[in-house]
Amino acid sequence: MNVGIAYYPEHHGREQWAVDYRKLVDAGITSIRIAEFAWSSLEPQDGQYDWKWLDD
């Protein structure tokens, strides 16, 4: 069975992301949905997009 979650990296410090990811893998999570409510981070100003933080 595949198990997925929603994860909100913008609510956690970058130093926490690797810790959380390791826990998700250990728990058998196979799919992660991110950035669904992060529009203010993705478009900080009208027409100016910042996708870079998602690369991390």
Side-chain angles (χ1 to χ4, degrees):
M1 172 173 39
N2 292 327
V3 177
I5 64 151
Y7 180 73
Y8 305 99
E10 66 275 15
H11 292 247
H12 307 278
R14 288 177 188 262
E15 68 282 352
Q16 187 64 36
W17 294 354
V19 174
D20 291 346
Y21 179 74
R22 181 79 255 150
K23 289 179 180 180
L24 295 170
V25 170
D26 291 347
I29 302 298
T30 57
S31 298
I32 302 170
R33 182 181 69 226
I34 62 170
E36 67 184 298
F37 298 115
W39 196 254
S40 64
S41 296
L42 297 172
E43 188 182 14
Q45 295 178 4
D46 272 349
Q48 178 186 0
Y49 300 96
D50 178 12
W51 305 98
K52 178 75 174 114
W53 67 276
L54 290 175
D55 293 340
D56 295 338

